[in-house]
Amino acid sequence: MKTYIIVNPASSGGATQKSWPVINEKLRIALPAFDSVYTEYRGHATDLTRQALLAGYKRIIAVGGDGTINEVVNGFFDGERRIAPEAQLGMLDAGTGGDFRRNIGLGESLDEQISAITSGLTKELTLGLAKFVNEEGQFHSRYFVVICSFGISGDINNYVNKLPILKRHGSGAAFAIATLKCLFSYVNAPVSIALNGEPLYQGPLLVGAASNGPWTGGGMMMAPKADSFSPELDFVVAEDLNLFESLMVFPSIYNGSHILRPKVHYKKGEKLVVEPQGGVKVTADMDGDVVGYLPLEIETRPAAISVLTG
């Protein structure tokens, strides 16, 4: 099968560039024929994927973290049309969090991940499609593979991305530090939320999320019952929690018990619509990057892409 490997050398704080020669050598044994390329800028993996699929490649392998996977997945589509329905997605996890890898049940070691690629065994992955206002003020749509969230999560992701030194201690530590810092400064923003066409919540909000798997943030179980291959997404909405309540809820995200607490909604569904209230600007983020602002519409796209799981 004609294979194209997209490597993000900056992932894992630049460690991927150093480890690529070893990865490349193992791949040459398992996959004697493939082409590979480094990404050079934000969004480059999307362009490279689209070009490769149009050139006839049938297997695209992403080497990087969840952000790299997000870009590659978006390259499989032209708007909402899948460019090459028979094409397969594979992953070699070279990020710091490994949330997508864990969500799809892929092994942790490099050998296990290469074995999954060579097996040819796939599952049909559900994706989320988010429509929002981008940073240029235009309506935009984008697929996500792990999570799309809004509220304090945008501040948390910005904090982590502006201080990449945090990730040297692992994604879990980085997001824990950023979350604690932001809890002391974030002001809950008023929103209106509807799920599957029915009102869910209206008022100040700490955070809301649509999850396509249980794991996020390098070890947090934001949606403990989520399944990346289920036709539904899992939605979490934390209402107007004050600082004390937030500090009490935060540790429980690591075992998923936060969904049992007061002021936290946990629902499965196909469509979430979020509108800002009172002229307040609320950020939206997905798979570790801030992408824009509310209003936000999230829909599920079941069996959207074939992913190599072994």
Side-chain angles (χ1 to χ4, degrees):
M1 183 179 287
K2 197 174 180 184
T3 302
Y4 196 64
I5 299 181
I6 298 173
V7 184
N8 179 1
S11 65
S12 195
T16 300
Q17 185 169 13
K18 297 178 182 178
S19 62
W20 172 242
V22 174
I23 297 172
N24 182 56
E25 184 176 346
K26 289 197 170 192
L27 282 170
R28 291 292 172 190
I29 297 172
L31 298 170
F34 65 83
D35 295 308
S36 63
V37 65
Y38 273 179
T39 60
E40 298 177 1
Y41 52 84
R42 183 176 178 180
H44 196 195
T46 298
D47 297 335
L48 291 169
T49 300
R50 193 167 290 135
Q51 292 164 12
L53 292 172
L54 292 172
Y57 288 90
K58 301 302 181 186
R59 182 164 53 190
I60 309 295
I61 310 301
V63 182
D66 295 338
T68 307
I69 282 287
N70 179 289
E71 289 192 12
V72 168
V73 163
N74 277 276
F76 272 73
F77 297 87
D78 180 8
E80 296 191 33
R81 180 184 69 87
R82 188 168 168 182
I83 293 173
E86 71 283 7
Q88 300 173 345
L89 167 71
M91 178 192 196
L92 296 179
D93 184 20
T96 51
D99 299 312
F100 178 73
R101 174 189 60 76
R102 284 194 280 188
N103 285 341
I104 65 171
L106 196 60
E108 185 174 359
S109 73
L110 176 60
D111 289 340
E112 288 176 296
Q113 293 166 27
I114 292 176
S115 178
I117 292 168
T118 58
S119 74
L121 299 175
T122 63
K123 283 186 175 183
E124 295 302 301
L125 178 72
T126 291
L127 296 176
L129 178 62
K131 300 176 182 178
F132 51 90
V133 176
N134 65 18
E135 293 172 336
E136 289 72 45
Q138 301 172 329
F139 283 99
H140 185 71
S141 62
R142 185 175 180 86
Y143 293 93
F144 62 93
V145 295
V146 175
I147 190 171
C148 179
S149 52
F150 49 95
I152 193 175
S153 56
D155 284 25
I156 294 168
N157 279 301
N158 270 333
Y159 188 82
V160 171
N161 290 333
K162 287 178 180 178
L163 293 172
I165 191 173
L166 289 175
K167 290 191 176 184
R168 293 182 184 177
H169 303 288
S171 179
F175 277 94
I177 293 168
T179 298
L180 288 171
K181 186 269 178 189
C182 292
L183 282 174
F184 283 88
S185 58
Y186 185 75
V187 178
N188 296 345
V191 299
S192 174
I193 304 176
L195 175 63
N196 296 335
E198 298 293 332
L200 176 64
Y201 175 70
Q202 183 169 346
L205 173 103
L206 177 66
V207 69
S211 294
N212 192 35
W215 298 100
T216 189
M220 298 180 186
M221 295 187 72
M222 178 62 77
K225 300 179 182 180
D227 181 351
S228 300
F229 305 103
S230 164
E232 295 181 308
L233 295 172
D234 286 35
F235 299 99
V236 181
V237 172
E239 296 182 5
D240 189 22
L241 277 67
N242 60 35
L243 177 60
F244 177 77
E245 291 170 327
S246 299
L247 291 171
M248 292 299 100
V249 168
F250 172 61
S252 63
I253 296 176
Y254 287 90
N255 62 21
S257 63
H258 62 289
I259 66 172
L260 304 175
R261 291 182 175 266
K263 297 186 181 181
V264 178
H265 302 266
Y266 188 85
K267 305 282 185 181
K268 290 181 177 287
E270 293 81 33
K271 184 174 181 178
L272 189 80
V273 177
V274 190
E275 298 282 349
Q277 302 289 303
V280 178
K281 210 170 186 179
V282 183
T283 56
D285 57 276
M286 64 172 65
D287 297 341
D289 289 313
V290 174
V291 293
Y293 306 93
L294 303 187
L296 172 67
E297 182 179 298
I298 298 171
E299 293 183 285
T300 183
R301 288 293 184 269
I305 193 169
S306 300
V307 60
L308 290 154
T309 57

